[in-house]
Amino acid sequence: MRLAGACAAILLGLTLPLATSALARDDGRYANSPLKPWFESLRSEYGQCCSDADGYVVADVDWESDKGHYRVHLDEEWVVVPDGAVITEPNKIGRAMVWKHYIDGHPRVRCFMPGSMT
């Protein structure tokens, strides 16, 4: 029983970082990524996505689409994605991503890249 608990704790410790939403933090660790120039080129009507905000991977259960319009769950709120924030070029990572900022303490979407929902 003790071995099972230890294995579960190790497994949790190894998988927890994978379950977090942060992906595109530019602290230097992605400097040599072949996707770095692509990420830096992403733009919405609100400007360059990676210029002032960090990108986050969004789990499939935390975003939805209805007739080409999107909502995303950020910081315990469902936020409507403005049409101008949607990135329409092909998604090279396949996962939904959002770049957010805050207005009056509430999250707003600067850029949103829909995923494949697989």
Side-chain angles (χ1 to χ4, degrees):
M1 187 67 168
R2 220 187 274 222
L3 180 59
C7 288
I10 291 170
L11 184 59
L12 178 64
L14 292 174
T15 58
L16 190 58
L18 298 175
T20 61
S21 59
L23 173 73
R25 302 237 182 252
D26 192 4
D27 58 6
R29 66 182 134 171
Y30 300 108
N32 297 320
S33 169
L35 290 178
K36 184 173 175 60
W38 175 74
F39 272 111
E40 290 177 344
S41 74
L42 295 176
R43 299 184 64 81
S44 74
E45 288 181 11
Y46 301 105
Q48 190 175 10
C49 299
C50 290
S51 63
D52 295 327
D54 291 327
Y56 295 87
V57 169
V58 181
D60 288 343
V61 298
D62 288 329
W63 70 280
E64 57 189 26
S65 171
D66 182 32
K67 299 177 185 146
H69 300 282
Y70 300 94
R71 287 188 339 145
V72 64
H73 195 240
L74 298 172
D75 302 338
E76 308 300 321
E77 294 182 44
W78 279 99
V79 179
V80 173
V81 176
D83 290 341
V86 178
I87 298 170
T88 57
E89 72 175 76
N91 182 337
K92 292 186 177 185
I93 63 166
R95 309 265 324 263
M97 287 193 69
V98 67
W99 288 260
K100 63 183 178 177
H101 64 279
Y102 292 88
I103 296 176
D104 295 328
H106 296 280
R108 298 293 181 253
V109 177
R110 178 184 183 105
C111 297
F112 176 74
M113 185 168 44
S116 59
M117 293 189 99
T118 57

